[in-house]
Amino acid sequence: GQNIDQPTEMTATEGAIVQINCTYQTSGFNGLFWYQQHAGEAPTFLSYNVLDGLEEKGRFSSFLSRSKGYSYLLLKELQMKDSASYLCASREAGTALIFGKGTTLSVSS
Amino acid sequence: EPEVTQTPSHQVTQMGQEVILRCVPISNHLYFYWYRQILGQKVEFLVSFYNNEISEKSEIFDDQFSVERPDGSNFTLKIRSTKLEDSAMYFCASRDMETGINEKLFFGSGTQLSVL
């Protein structure tokens, strides 16, 4: 089975940088995903890591350390519209994506 | 951009009734999924479907649940006898056959099921 942990809530101000951490335990790791979910809406894909290191994509970056079972999502130049839940998800080979409980990020002005 | 569509957006039903939630996945996708999210809780995996059969299911997906791909476009989730605890947002998702980053899921906007 898989176990995914991430903080429940975080707050930050516009223009700041925030890092959302995720730890996972899985017996056959096959990729780590981050999704964004605005309240009442569907999750949308943000990033994917399968090898160690940093993947950068505009204001969002994601990092993975497979040996530590650790990932983080880095959001730069925060905007009010970034207020949402950020879902860490992992999968084992041949299995479905399993989500963590999500981190609710509140961005204030 | 192609998208996953779900109908209805809201469904209200009485406990014990059967409901069918409908989804039209993205046309060239081959893997289909149902997830649910109880209010304030995490997105939970229910079932995956590939090549006209269930490829994986969770403990939640018991005998009350079934899935079907009745034609080339629709993918349905049936709950045979709804319980109060089935009240949740149900998300359909699909993906294509590619591996790695292209294994990302595309989600529909969900059906909010309320069991009274």
Side-chain angles (χ1 to χ4, degrees), chain A residues 30 33 35 37 40-43 45 48 87 91 95-101, chain B residues 33 35 37 42-43 45 48 56 89 91 95 100-101 103-105 107-109:
Chain A
N30 199 41
F33 292 77
Y35 281 75
Q37 186 180 29
E41 298 183 11
F45 171 80
Y48 168 77
L87 315 181
R91 64 184 299 271
T95 68
L97 199 60
I98 300 300
F99 288 88
K101 293 182 179 179
Chain B
Y33 302 83
Y35 285 80
Q37 187 173 30
K42 68 176 183 178
V43 177
F45 167 70
S48 60
E56 188 186 3
M89 178 75 90
F91 291 110
R95 68 171 179 91
I101 191 170
E103 288 184 80
K104 64 185 178 186
L105 297 180
F107 284 85
S109 54

PDB file of all heavy atoms in Angstrom, chain A residues 30 33 35 37 40-43 45 48 87 91 95-101, chain B residues 33 35 37 42-43 45 48 56 89 91 95 100-101 103-105 107-109:
ATOM      1  N   ASN A  30       6.732   4.626  -8.856  1.00  0.00           N
ATOM      2  CA  ASN A  30       6.706   4.802 -10.300  1.00  0.00           C
ATOM      3  C   ASN A  30       6.242   6.198 -10.676  1.00  0.00           C
ATOM      4  O   ASN A  30       5.579   6.385 -11.683  1.00  0.00           O
ATOM      5  CB  ASN A  30       5.799   3.748 -10.940  1.00  0.00           C
ATOM      6  CG  ASN A  30       6.093   3.578 -12.425  1.00  0.00           C
ATOM      7  OD1 ASN A  30       7.251   3.576 -12.836  1.00  0.00           O
ATOM      8  ND2 ASN A  30       5.055   3.460 -13.217  1.00  0.00           N
ATOM      9  N   PHE A  33       3.383  12.913  -8.573  1.00  0.00           N
ATOM     10  CA  PHE A  33       2.636  13.958  -9.262  1.00  0.00           C
ATOM     11  C   PHE A  33       2.183  15.014  -8.269  1.00  0.00           C
ATOM     12  O   PHE A  33       1.926  14.722  -7.099  1.00  0.00           O
ATOM     13  CB  PHE A  33       1.375  13.365  -9.911  1.00  0.00           C
ATOM     14  CG  PHE A  33       1.633  12.423 -11.058  1.00  0.00           C
ATOM     15  CD1 PHE A  33       2.052  11.118 -10.827  1.00  0.00           C
ATOM     16  CD2 PHE A  33       1.426  12.830 -12.367  1.00  0.00           C
ATOM     17  CE1 PHE A  33       2.271  10.244 -11.881  1.00  0.00           C
ATOM     18  CE2 PHE A  33       1.635  11.959 -13.428  1.00  0.00           C
ATOM     19  CZ  PHE A  33       2.060  10.668 -13.183  1.00  0.00           C
ATOM     20  N   TYR A  35      -0.917  17.945  -8.160  1.00  0.00           N
ATOM     21  CA  TYR A  35      -2.119  18.491  -8.776  1.00  0.00           C
ATOM     22  C   TYR A  35      -2.580  19.688  -7.976  1.00  0.00           C
ATOM     23  O   TYR A  35      -2.348  19.784  -6.767  1.00  0.00           O
ATOM     24  CB  TYR A  35      -3.245  17.441  -8.792  1.00  0.00           C
ATOM     25  CG  TYR A  35      -3.125  16.413  -9.889  1.00  0.00           C
ATOM     26  CD1 TYR A  35      -2.188  15.388  -9.811  1.00  0.00           C
ATOM     27  CD2 TYR A  35      -3.950  16.468 -11.012  1.00  0.00           C
ATOM     28  CE1 TYR A  35      -2.074  14.445 -10.821  1.00  0.00           C
ATOM     29  CE2 TYR A  35      -3.839  15.530 -12.030  1.00  0.00           C
ATOM     30  CZ  TYR A  35      -2.898  14.530 -11.927  1.00  0.00           C
ATOM     31  OH  TYR A  35      -2.790  13.599 -12.940  1.00  0.00           O
ATOM     32  N   GLN A  37      -6.053  21.869  -6.934  1.00  0.00           N
ATOM     33  CA  GLN A  37      -7.511  21.756  -6.903  1.00  0.00           C
ATOM     34  C   GLN A  37      -8.111  22.992  -6.250  1.00  0.00           C
ATOM     35  O   GLN A  37      -7.955  23.203  -5.042  1.00  0.00           O
ATOM     36  CB  GLN A  37      -7.956  20.500  -6.158  1.00  0.00           C
ATOM     37  CG  GLN A  37      -9.469  20.274  -6.220  1.00  0.00           C
ATOM     38  CD  GLN A  37      -9.920  19.029  -5.487  1.00  0.00           C
ATOM     39  OE1 GLN A  37      -9.298  18.604  -4.512  1.00  0.00           O
ATOM     40  NE2 GLN A  37     -11.012  18.432  -5.944  1.00  0.00           N
ATOM     41  N   GLY A  40     -14.250  23.172  -4.992  1.00  0.00           N
ATOM     42  CA  GLY A  40     -15.394  22.793  -5.806  1.00  0.00           C
ATOM     43  C   GLY A  40     -15.073  22.403  -7.230  1.00  0.00           C
ATOM     44  O   GLY A  40     -15.987  22.188  -8.034  1.00  0.00           O
ATOM     45  N   GLU A  41     -13.785  22.314  -7.541  1.00  0.00           N
ATOM     46  CA  GLU A  41     -13.401  21.985  -8.913  1.00  0.00           C
ATOM     47  C   GLU A  41     -12.599  20.687  -8.962  1.00  0.00           C
ATOM     48  O   GLU A  41     -12.243  20.111  -7.938  1.00  0.00           O
ATOM     49  CB  GLU A  41     -12.592  23.136  -9.519  1.00  0.00           C
ATOM     50  CG  GLU A  41     -13.383  24.431  -9.613  1.00  0.00           C
ATOM     51  CD  GLU A  41     -12.589  25.547 -10.274  1.00  0.00           C
ATOM     52  OE1 GLU A  41     -11.512  25.271 -10.843  1.00  0.00           O
ATOM     53  OE2 GLU A  41     -13.050  26.696 -10.209  1.00  0.00           O
ATOM     54  N   ALA A  42     -12.314  20.249 -10.177  1.00  0.00           N
ATOM     55  CA  ALA A  42     -11.546  19.024 -10.362  1.00  0.00           C
ATOM     56  C   ALA A  42     -10.058  19.295 -10.184  1.00  0.00           C
ATOM     57  O   ALA A  42      -9.585  20.410 -10.419  1.00  0.00           O
ATOM     58  CB  ALA A  42     -11.809  18.457 -11.753  1.00  0.00           C
ATOM     59  N   PRO A  43      -9.288  18.290  -9.796  1.00  0.00           N
ATOM     60  CA  PRO A  43      -7.827  18.441  -9.783  1.00  0.00           C
ATOM     61  C   PRO A  43      -7.287  18.658 -11.190  1.00  0.00           C
ATOM     62  O   PRO A  43      -7.775  18.056 -12.154  1.00  0.00           O
ATOM     63  CB  PRO A  43      -7.347  17.098  -9.214  1.00  0.00           C
ATOM     64  CG  PRO A  43      -8.523  16.495  -8.536  1.00  0.00           C
ATOM     65  CD  PRO A  43      -9.716  16.969  -9.310  1.00  0.00           C
ATOM     66  N   PHE A  45      -3.487  18.847 -13.376  1.00  0.00           N
ATOM     67  CA  PHE A  45      -2.090  18.442 -13.326  1.00  0.00           C
ATOM     68  C   PHE A  45      -1.158  19.646 -13.248  1.00  0.00           C
ATOM     69  O   PHE A  45      -1.328  20.629 -13.972  1.00  0.00           O
ATOM     70  CB  PHE A  45      -1.770  17.618 -14.576  1.00  0.00           C
ATOM     71  CG  PHE A  45      -0.316  17.320 -14.772  1.00  0.00           C
ATOM     72  CD1 PHE A  45       0.287  16.293 -14.076  1.00  0.00           C
ATOM     73  CD2 PHE A  45       0.444  18.076 -15.651  1.00  0.00           C
ATOM     74  CE1 PHE A  45       1.628  16.008 -14.256  1.00  0.00           C
ATOM     75  CE2 PHE A  45       1.791  17.806 -15.835  1.00  0.00           C
ATOM     76  CZ  PHE A  45       2.381  16.773 -15.140  1.00  0.00           C
ATOM     77  N   TYR A  48       5.274  16.457 -12.629  1.00  0.00           N
ATOM     78  CA  TYR A  48       5.569  15.035 -12.529  1.00  0.00           C
ATOM     79  C   TYR A  48       7.067  14.857 -12.334  1.00  0.00           C
ATOM     80  O   TYR A  48       7.866  15.485 -13.036  1.00  0.00           O
ATOM     81  CB  TYR A  48       5.135  14.334 -13.816  1.00  0.00           C
ATOM     82  CG  TYR A  48       5.630  12.921 -13.979  1.00  0.00           C
ATOM     83  CD1 TYR A  48       5.018  11.883 -13.282  1.00  0.00           C
ATOM     84  CD2 TYR A  48       6.678  12.614 -14.839  1.00  0.00           C
ATOM     85  CE1 TYR A  48       5.450  10.570 -13.444  1.00  0.00           C
ATOM     86  CE2 TYR A  48       7.119  11.298 -14.995  1.00  0.00           C
ATOM     87  CZ  TYR A  48       6.494  10.292 -14.299  1.00  0.00           C
ATOM     88  OH  TYR A  48       6.923   9.000 -14.456  1.00  0.00           O
ATOM     89  N   LEU A  87      -2.280  18.834  -4.168  1.00  0.00           N
ATOM     90  CA  LEU A  87      -2.361  17.399  -3.894  1.00  0.00           C
ATOM     91  C   LEU A  87      -1.108  16.701  -4.380  1.00  0.00           C
ATOM     92  O   LEU A  87      -0.754  16.799  -5.554  1.00  0.00           O
ATOM     93  CB  LEU A  87      -3.582  16.793  -4.612  1.00  0.00           C
ATOM     94  CG  LEU A  87      -4.904  17.542  -4.533  1.00  0.00           C
ATOM     95  CD1 LEU A  87      -5.988  16.769  -5.280  1.00  0.00           C
ATOM     96  CD2 LEU A  87      -5.311  17.782  -3.111  1.00  0.00           C
ATOM     97  N   ARG A  91       2.275   6.826  -7.541  1.00  0.00           N
ATOM     98  CA  ARG A  91       1.767   5.565  -8.057  1.00  0.00           C
ATOM     99  C   ARG A  91       2.858   4.526  -8.075  1.00  0.00           C
ATOM    100  O   ARG A  91       4.038   4.847  -8.196  1.00  0.00           O
ATOM    101  CB  ARG A  91       1.162   5.747  -9.447  1.00  0.00           C
ATOM    102  CG  ARG A  91       2.113   6.160 -10.523  1.00  0.00           C
ATOM    103  CD  ARG A  91       1.361   6.399 -11.830  1.00  0.00           C
ATOM    104  NE  ARG A  91       0.678   5.210 -12.316  1.00  0.00           N
ATOM    105  CZ  ARG A  91       1.234   4.312 -13.126  1.00  0.00           C
ATOM    106  NH1 ARG A  91       2.474   4.444 -13.522  1.00  0.00           N
ATOM    107  NH2 ARG A  91       0.540   3.256 -13.538  1.00  0.00           N
ATOM    108  N   THR A  95      -0.357   0.512 -11.220  1.00  0.00           N
ATOM    109  CA  THR A  95      -1.486   0.823 -10.336  1.00  0.00           C
ATOM    110  C   THR A  95      -1.967   2.242 -10.563  1.00  0.00           C
ATOM    111  O   THR A  95      -1.329   3.032 -11.248  1.00  0.00           O
ATOM    112  CB  THR A  95      -1.109   0.662  -8.856  1.00  0.00           C
ATOM    113  OG1 THR A  95      -0.172   1.680  -8.503  1.00  0.00           O
ATOM    114  CG2 THR A  95      -0.510  -0.709  -8.578  1.00  0.00           C
ATOM    115  N   ALA A  96      -3.087   2.531  -9.957  1.00  0.00           N
ATOM    116  CA  ALA A  96      -3.681   3.859 -10.118  1.00  0.00           C
ATOM    117  C   ALA A  96      -2.976   4.885  -9.240  1.00  0.00           C
ATOM    118  O   ALA A  96      -2.281   4.556  -8.291  1.00  0.00           O
ATOM    119  CB  ALA A  96      -5.160   3.801  -9.759  1.00  0.00           C
ATOM    120  N   LEU A  97      -3.186   6.137  -9.584  1.00  0.00           N
ATOM    121  CA  LEU A  97      -2.641   7.244  -8.829  1.00  0.00           C
ATOM    122  C   LEU A  97      -3.374   7.360  -7.494  1.00  0.00           C
ATOM    123  O   LEU A  97      -4.603   7.344  -7.445  1.00  0.00           O
ATOM    124  CB  LEU A  97      -2.834   8.513  -9.647  1.00  0.00           C
ATOM    125  CG  LEU A  97      -1.998   9.732  -9.324  1.00  0.00           C
ATOM    126  CD1 LEU A  97      -0.527   9.432  -9.474  1.00  0.00           C
ATOM    127  CD2 LEU A  97      -2.412  10.881 -10.242  1.00  0.00           C
ATOM    128  N   ILE A  98      -2.602   7.474  -6.420  1.00  0.00           N
ATOM    129  CA  ILE A  98      -3.167   7.612  -5.077  1.00  0.00           C
ATOM    130  C   ILE A  98      -2.790   8.991  -4.549  1.00  0.00           C
ATOM    131  O   ILE A  98      -1.624   9.380  -4.600  1.00  0.00           O
ATOM    132  CB  ILE A  98      -2.639   6.515  -4.140  1.00  0.00           C
ATOM    133  CG1 ILE A  98      -3.015   5.134  -4.683  1.00  0.00           C
ATOM    134  CG2 ILE A  98      -3.181   6.707  -2.724  1.00  0.00           C
ATOM    135  CD1 ILE A  98      -4.492   4.891  -4.835  1.00  0.00           C
ATOM    136  N   PHE A  99      -3.785   9.703  -4.028  1.00  0.00           N
ATOM    137  CA  PHE A  99      -3.592  11.074  -3.587  1.00  0.00           C
ATOM    138  C   PHE A  99      -3.399  11.173  -2.088  1.00  0.00           C
ATOM    139  O   PHE A  99      -3.989  10.412  -1.315  1.00  0.00           O
ATOM    140  CB  PHE A  99      -4.817  11.921  -3.970  1.00  0.00           C
ATOM    141  CG  PHE A  99      -4.925  12.202  -5.430  1.00  0.00           C
ATOM    142  CD1 PHE A  99      -5.576  11.321  -6.276  1.00  0.00           C
ATOM    143  CD2 PHE A  99      -4.370  13.354  -5.981  1.00  0.00           C
ATOM    144  CE1 PHE A  99      -5.673  11.576  -7.634  1.00  0.00           C
ATOM    145  CE2 PHE A  99      -4.461  13.613  -7.329  1.00  0.00           C
ATOM    146  CZ  PHE A  99      -5.109  12.719  -8.164  1.00  0.00           C
ATOM    147  N   GLY A 100      -2.602  12.162  -1.677  1.00  0.00           N
ATOM    148  CA  GLY A 100      -2.548  12.556  -0.290  1.00  0.00           C
ATOM    149  C   GLY A 100      -3.764  13.415   0.048  1.00  0.00           C
ATOM    150  O   GLY A 100      -4.605  13.699  -0.819  1.00  0.00           O
ATOM    151  N   LYS A 101      -3.830  13.870   1.294  1.00  0.00           N
ATOM    152  CA  LYS A 101      -4.990  14.631   1.753  1.00  0.00           C
ATOM    153  C   LYS A 101      -5.009  16.056   1.231  1.00  0.00           C
ATOM    154  O   LYS A 101      -6.018  16.739   1.329  1.00  0.00           O
ATOM    155  CB  LYS A 101      -5.046  14.634   3.281  1.00  0.00           C
ATOM    156  CG  LYS A 101      -5.326  13.263   3.865  1.00  0.00           C
ATOM    157  CD  LYS A 101      -5.422  13.309   5.378  1.00  0.00           C
ATOM    158  CE  LYS A 101      -5.740  11.913   5.917  1.00  0.00           C
ATOM    159  NZ  LYS A 101      -5.824  11.898   7.400  1.00  0.00           N
TER     160      LYS A 101
ATOM    161  N   TYR B  33     -10.976   6.062 -15.148  1.00  0.00           N
ATOM    162  CA  TYR B  33     -10.947   5.966 -13.697  1.00  0.00           C
ATOM    163  C   TYR B  33     -12.175   6.649 -13.098  1.00  0.00           C
ATOM    164  O   TYR B  33     -12.708   7.595 -13.670  1.00  0.00           O
ATOM    165  CB  TYR B  33      -9.705   6.682 -13.133  1.00  0.00           C
ATOM    166  CG  TYR B  33      -8.398   6.171 -13.658  1.00  0.00           C
ATOM    167  CD1 TYR B  33      -7.890   6.608 -14.880  1.00  0.00           C
ATOM    168  CD2 TYR B  33      -7.643   5.251 -12.924  1.00  0.00           C
ATOM    169  CE1 TYR B  33      -6.675   6.137 -15.369  1.00  0.00           C
ATOM    170  CE2 TYR B  33      -6.429   4.779 -13.411  1.00  0.00           C
ATOM    171  CZ  TYR B  33      -5.960   5.231 -14.626  1.00  0.00           C
ATOM    172  OH  TYR B  33      -4.757   4.763 -15.107  1.00  0.00           O
ATOM    173  N   TYR B  35     -12.884   8.359  -9.280  1.00  0.00           N
ATOM    174  CA  TYR B  35     -12.432   8.764  -7.957  1.00  0.00           C
ATOM    175  C   TYR B  35     -13.611   9.434  -7.266  1.00  0.00           C
ATOM    176  O   TYR B  35     -14.535   9.908  -7.916  1.00  0.00           O
ATOM    177  CB  TYR B  35     -11.284   9.781  -8.055  1.00  0.00           C
ATOM    178  CG  TYR B  35      -9.937   9.215  -8.445  1.00  0.00           C
ATOM    179  CD1 TYR B  35      -9.626   8.936  -9.776  1.00  0.00           C
ATOM    180  CD2 TYR B  35      -8.962   8.973  -7.484  1.00  0.00           C
ATOM    181  CE1 TYR B  35      -8.374   8.430 -10.133  1.00  0.00           C
ATOM    182  CE2 TYR B  35      -7.709   8.472  -7.825  1.00  0.00           C
ATOM    183  CZ  TYR B  35      -7.433   8.206  -9.152  1.00  0.00           C
ATOM    184  OH  TYR B  35      -6.189   7.703  -9.502  1.00  0.00           O
ATOM    185  N   GLN B  37     -14.593  12.175  -3.774  1.00  0.00           N
ATOM    186  CA  GLN B  37     -14.082  13.070  -2.746  1.00  0.00           C
ATOM    187  C   GLN B  37     -15.240  13.481  -1.847  1.00  0.00           C
ATOM    188  O   GLN B  37     -16.112  14.255  -2.255  1.00  0.00           O
ATOM    189  CB  GLN B  37     -13.408  14.300  -3.366  1.00  0.00           C
ATOM    190  CG  GLN B  37     -12.699  15.183  -2.354  1.00  0.00           C
ATOM    191  CD  GLN B  37     -11.916  16.296  -3.029  1.00  0.00           C
ATOM    192  OE1 GLN B  37     -12.288  16.776  -4.105  1.00  0.00           O
ATOM    193  NE2 GLN B  37     -10.823  16.714  -2.418  1.00  0.00           N
ATOM    194  N   LYS B  42      -9.923  13.708   1.269  1.00  0.00           N
ATOM    195  CA  LYS B  42      -9.028  13.567   0.128  1.00  0.00           C
ATOM    196  C   LYS B  42      -9.713  12.893  -1.051  1.00  0.00           C
ATOM    197  O   LYS B  42     -10.773  12.290  -0.916  1.00  0.00           O
ATOM    198  CB  LYS B  42      -7.781  12.778   0.528  1.00  0.00           C
ATOM    199  CG  LYS B  42      -8.023  11.318   0.839  1.00  0.00           C
ATOM    200  CD  LYS B  42      -6.693  10.632   1.122  1.00  0.00           C
ATOM    201  CE  LYS B  42      -6.857   9.156   1.356  1.00  0.00           C
ATOM    202  NZ  LYS B  42      -5.560   8.492   1.572  1.00  0.00           N
ATOM    203  N   VAL B  43      -9.092  13.032  -2.208  1.00  0.00           N
ATOM    204  CA  VAL B  43      -9.555  12.361  -3.420  1.00  0.00           C
ATOM    205  C   VAL B  43      -9.194  10.878  -3.303  1.00  0.00           C
ATOM    206  O   VAL B  43      -8.015  10.527  -3.131  1.00  0.00           O
ATOM    207  CB  VAL B  43      -8.880  12.983  -4.665  1.00  0.00           C
ATOM    208  CG1 VAL B  43      -9.289  12.238  -5.917  1.00  0.00           C
ATOM    209  CG2 VAL B  43      -9.237  14.461  -4.779  1.00  0.00           C
ATOM    210  N   PHE B  45      -9.351   6.889  -4.712  1.00  0.00           N
ATOM    211  CA  PHE B  45      -9.450   6.031  -5.888  1.00  0.00           C
ATOM    212  C   PHE B  45     -10.551   4.990  -5.692  1.00  0.00           C
ATOM    213  O   PHE B  45     -10.658   4.369  -4.624  1.00  0.00           O
ATOM    214  CB  PHE B  45      -8.106   5.338  -6.121  1.00  0.00           C
ATOM    215  CG  PHE B  45      -8.161   4.206  -7.107  1.00  0.00           C
ATOM    216  CD1 PHE B  45      -8.369   4.452  -8.455  1.00  0.00           C
ATOM    217  CD2 PHE B  45      -8.007   2.894  -6.682  1.00  0.00           C
ATOM    218  CE1 PHE B  45      -8.418   3.409  -9.363  1.00  0.00           C
ATOM    219  CE2 PHE B  45      -8.049   1.847  -7.583  1.00  0.00           C
ATOM    220  CZ  PHE B  45      -8.259   2.104  -8.922  1.00  0.00           C
ATOM    221  N   SER B  48     -10.247   1.476 -11.769  1.00  0.00           N
ATOM    222  CA  SER B  48      -9.660   1.787 -13.074  1.00  0.00           C
ATOM    223  C   SER B  48     -10.142   0.752 -14.085  1.00  0.00           C
ATOM    224  O   SER B  48     -10.449  -0.389 -13.731  1.00  0.00           O
ATOM    225  CB  SER B  48      -8.135   1.821 -13.007  1.00  0.00           C
ATOM    226  OG  SER B  48      -7.625   0.579 -12.585  1.00  0.00           O
ATOM    227  N   GLU B  56      -8.133  -2.455 -11.811  1.00  0.00           N
ATOM    228  CA  GLU B  56      -7.807  -2.308 -10.396  1.00  0.00           C
ATOM    229  C   GLU B  56      -9.011  -1.693  -9.688  1.00  0.00           C
ATOM    230  O   GLU B  56      -9.729  -0.881 -10.278  1.00  0.00           O
ATOM    231  CB  GLU B  56      -6.580  -1.395 -10.227  1.00  0.00           C
ATOM    232  CG  GLU B  56      -6.040  -1.312  -8.820  1.00  0.00           C
ATOM    233  CD  GLU B  56      -4.922  -0.289  -8.676  1.00  0.00           C
ATOM    234  OE1 GLU B  56      -4.599   0.396  -9.668  1.00  0.00           O
ATOM    235  OE2 GLU B  56      -4.383  -0.167  -7.565  1.00  0.00           O
ATOM    236  N   MET B  89     -18.433  14.035  -4.082  1.00  0.00           N
ATOM    237  CA  MET B  89     -18.191  14.443  -5.468  1.00  0.00           C
ATOM    238  C   MET B  89     -17.503  13.260  -6.149  1.00  0.00           C
ATOM    239  O   MET B  89     -16.506  12.750  -5.628  1.00  0.00           O
ATOM    240  CB  MET B  89     -17.303  15.670  -5.510  1.00  0.00           C
ATOM    241  CG  MET B  89     -16.970  16.135  -6.913  1.00  0.00           C
ATOM    242  SD  MET B  89     -18.355  16.957  -7.710  1.00  0.00           S
ATOM    243  CE  MET B  89     -18.054  18.646  -7.194  1.00  0.00           C
ATOM    244  N   PHE B  91     -15.508  11.987  -9.398  1.00  0.00           N
ATOM    245  CA  PHE B  91     -14.731  12.455 -10.535  1.00  0.00           C
ATOM    246  C   PHE B  91     -14.405  11.285 -11.459  1.00  0.00           C
ATOM    247  O   PHE B  91     -13.943  10.240 -11.018  1.00  0.00           O
ATOM    248  CB  PHE B  91     -13.408  13.076 -10.080  1.00  0.00           C
ATOM    249  CG  PHE B  91     -13.538  14.371  -9.343  1.00  0.00           C
ATOM    250  CD1 PHE B  91     -13.272  14.436  -7.986  1.00  0.00           C
ATOM    251  CD2 PHE B  91     -13.896  15.536 -10.005  1.00  0.00           C
ATOM    252  CE1 PHE B  91     -13.365  15.635  -7.291  1.00  0.00           C
ATOM    253  CE2 PHE B  91     -13.997  16.749  -9.327  1.00  0.00           C
ATOM    254  CZ  PHE B  91     -13.738  16.793  -7.966  1.00  0.00           C
ATOM    255  N   ARG B  95      -6.734   8.836 -19.240  1.00  0.00           N
ATOM    256  CA  ARG B  95      -5.389   9.127 -19.734  1.00  0.00           C
ATOM    257  C   ARG B  95      -5.121   8.232 -20.944  1.00  0.00           C
ATOM    258  O   ARG B  95      -5.812   7.251 -21.170  1.00  0.00           O
ATOM    259  CB  ARG B  95      -4.336   8.895 -18.660  1.00  0.00           C
ATOM    260  CG  ARG B  95      -4.129   7.447 -18.235  1.00  0.00           C
ATOM    261  CD  ARG B  95      -2.911   7.353 -17.329  1.00  0.00           C
ATOM    262  NE  ARG B  95      -2.664   5.996 -16.853  1.00  0.00           N
ATOM    263  CZ  ARG B  95      -1.886   5.129 -17.484  1.00  0.00           C
ATOM    264  NH1 ARG B  95      -1.302   5.443 -18.634  1.00  0.00           N
ATOM    265  NH2 ARG B  95      -1.676   3.920 -16.983  1.00  0.00           N
ATOM    266  N   GLY B 100       5.298   7.726 -18.237  1.00  0.00           N
ATOM    267  CA  GLY B 100       5.992   8.865 -17.664  1.00  0.00           C
ATOM    268  C   GLY B 100       5.066  10.035 -17.476  1.00  0.00           C
ATOM    269  O   GLY B 100       3.945   9.897 -16.989  1.00  0.00           O
ATOM    270  N   ILE B 101       5.513  11.202 -17.890  1.00  0.00           N
ATOM    271  CA  ILE B 101       4.731  12.413 -17.638  1.00  0.00           C
ATOM    272  C   ILE B 101       3.378  12.340 -18.320  1.00  0.00           C
ATOM    273  O   ILE B 101       2.406  12.936 -17.865  1.00  0.00           O
ATOM    274  CB  ILE B 101       5.506  13.663 -18.081  1.00  0.00           C
ATOM    275  CG1 ILE B 101       4.819  14.926 -17.570  1.00  0.00           C
ATOM    276  CG2 ILE B 101       5.671  13.694 -19.598  1.00  0.00           C
ATOM    277  CD1 ILE B 101       5.634  16.177 -17.741  1.00  0.00           C
ATOM    278  N   GLU B 103       1.450  10.043 -18.260  1.00  0.00           N
ATOM    279  CA  GLU B 103       0.490   9.271 -17.484  1.00  0.00           C
ATOM    280  C   GLU B 103      -0.402  10.185 -16.649  1.00  0.00           C
ATOM    281  O   GLU B 103      -1.176   9.720 -15.834  1.00  0.00           O
ATOM    282  CB  GLU B 103       1.230   8.297 -16.565  1.00  0.00           C
ATOM    283  CG  GLU B 103       1.852   7.142 -17.322  1.00  0.00           C
ATOM    284  CD  GLU B 103       2.496   6.153 -16.376  1.00  0.00           C
ATOM    285  OE1 GLU B 103       1.768   5.337 -15.801  1.00  0.00           O
ATOM    286  OE2 GLU B 103       3.722   6.201 -16.216  1.00  0.00           O
ATOM    287  N   LYS B 104      -0.279  11.483 -16.839  1.00  0.00           N
ATOM    288  CA  LYS B 104      -1.117  12.383 -16.064  1.00  0.00           C
ATOM    289  C   LYS B 104      -2.582  12.146 -16.389  1.00  0.00           C
ATOM    290  O   LYS B 104      -2.949  11.825 -17.518  1.00  0.00           O
ATOM    291  CB  LYS B 104      -0.738  13.829 -16.347  1.00  0.00           C
ATOM    292  CG  LYS B 104      -0.964  14.277 -17.773  1.00  0.00           C
ATOM    293  CD  LYS B 104      -0.434  15.692 -17.982  1.00  0.00           C
ATOM    294  CE  LYS B 104      -0.627  16.132 -19.426  1.00  0.00           C
ATOM    295  NZ  LYS B 104       0.004  17.447 -19.684  1.00  0.00           N
ATOM    296  N   LEU B 105      -3.391  12.321 -15.363  1.00  0.00           N
ATOM    297  CA  LEU B 105      -4.827  12.127 -15.498  1.00  0.00           C
ATOM    298  C   LEU B 105      -5.510  13.445 -15.853  1.00  0.00           C
ATOM    299  O   LEU B 105      -5.141  14.501 -15.361  1.00  0.00           O
ATOM    300  CB  LEU B 105      -5.418  11.618 -14.188  1.00  0.00           C
ATOM    301  CG  LEU B 105      -4.942  10.252 -13.699  1.00  0.00           C
ATOM    302  CD1 LEU B 105      -5.637   9.908 -12.382  1.00  0.00           C
ATOM    303  CD2 LEU B 105      -5.215   9.176 -14.733  1.00  0.00           C
ATOM    304  N   PHE B 107      -9.127  15.098 -15.451  1.00  0.00           N
ATOM    305  CA  PHE B 107     -10.335  14.911 -14.664  1.00  0.00           C
ATOM    306  C   PHE B 107     -11.505  15.659 -15.266  1.00  0.00           C
ATOM    307  O   PHE B 107     -11.354  16.767 -15.803  1.00  0.00           O
ATOM    308  CB  PHE B 107     -10.131  15.420 -13.233  1.00  0.00           C
ATOM    309  CG  PHE B 107      -9.319  14.509 -12.366  1.00  0.00           C
ATOM    310  CD1 PHE B 107      -7.934  14.564 -12.382  1.00  0.00           C
ATOM    311  CD2 PHE B 107      -9.938  13.593 -11.524  1.00  0.00           C
ATOM    312  CE1 PHE B 107      -7.184  13.727 -11.575  1.00  0.00           C
ATOM    313  CE2 PHE B 107      -9.192  12.755 -10.716  1.00  0.00           C
ATOM    314  CZ  PHE B 107      -7.816  12.820 -10.746  1.00  0.00           C
ATOM    315  N   GLY B 108     -12.689  15.071 -15.138  1.00  0.00           N
ATOM    316  CA  GLY B 108     -13.915  15.799 -15.419  1.00  0.00           C
ATOM    317  C   GLY B 108     -14.241  16.721 -14.265  1.00  0.00           C
ATOM    318  O   GLY B 108     -13.585  16.688 -13.211  1.00  0.00           O
ATOM    319  N   SER B 109     -15.278  17.543 -14.450  1.00  0.00           N
ATOM    320  CA  SER B 109     -15.632  18.538 -13.431  1.00  0.00           C
ATOM    321  C   SER B 109     -16.443  17.949 -12.284  1.00  0.00           C
ATOM    322  O   SER B 109     -16.729  18.637 -11.318  1.00  0.00           O
ATOM    323  CB  SER B 109     -16.388  19.701 -14.068  1.00  0.00           C
ATOM    324  OG  SER B 109     -17.492  19.217 -14.782  1.00  0.00           O
TER     325      SER B 109
END
